[in-house]
Amino acid sequence: MDPVLEAVATALATRTAHAVVAGGKGAWEALVRLVRHRFAEDSAAERAWQAAVADPADAEGVASLTRALADAERANPEFGVELRQLWHRISANPGVGTHAVVNQIDGDVESAVQARDIHGGIAFGRPPGPHR
């Protein structure tokens, strides 16, 4: 599967409700509108969208949405160009204006903390105690 379309499908499945609640501004709103408009003409694609949104943890549902996006892109290359441009804008600035945090770990790690705001100390391996 195309990793960009898979990422778009996952984001659409897991963030649609958030975008609606937040008023969905900018590139995210444009992406949702673009896909909704395109899928309005295709009942199977619309069903894939609805299934993925209903259960974002269902890998097969997200895979079906990914395939629907791929089919739409093949049928209309202009749709694909616009979808990828919007995705690039979103993924380049995932938290702009939302106070979101993007944490990513790649590879092996022994200890890690992923957080936005931490108030107080963090200790690994032994309980916090007096400084030495």
Side-chain angles (χ1 to χ4, degrees):
M1 278 194 215
D2 182 315
V4 171
L5 295 180
E6 192 170 10
V8 170
T10 301
L12 288 169
T14 58
R15 296 185 63 190
T16 300
H18 172 72
V20 170
V21 171
K25 296 181 181 172
W28 176 253
E29 182 181 62
L31 178 73
V32 171
R33 242 190 348 258
L34 173 71
V35 174
R36 295 298 302 215
H37 178 71
R38 179 70 183 153
F39 283 8
E41 304 167 8
D42 183 343
S43 61
E46 180 64 25
R47 282 192 306 275
W49 168 291
Q50 294 300 327
V53 169
D55 187 3
D58 176 25
E60 183 52 42
V62 175
S64 293
L65 180 55
T66 303
R67 288 189 293 275
L69 289 168
D71 292 346
E73 184 177 45
R74 275 191 298 281
N76 184 339
E78 292 82 22
F79 165 81
V81 168
E82 190 173 353
L83 178 105
R84 289 172 185 275
Q85 287 173 343
L86 289 168
W87 181 250
H88 177 72
R89 285 178 41 204
I90 292 165
S91 61
N93 300 300
V96 174
T98 64
H99 303 292
V101 174
V102 177
N103 292 308
Q104 180 175 348
I105 293 178
D106 189 16
D108 296 334
V109 283
E110 189 170 320
S111 300
V113 173
Q114 294 187 319
R116 177 169 172 221
D117 298 319
I118 297 174
H119 304 281
I122 296 176
F124 290 99
R126 41 187 134 133
H131 296 295
R132 296 180 192 165

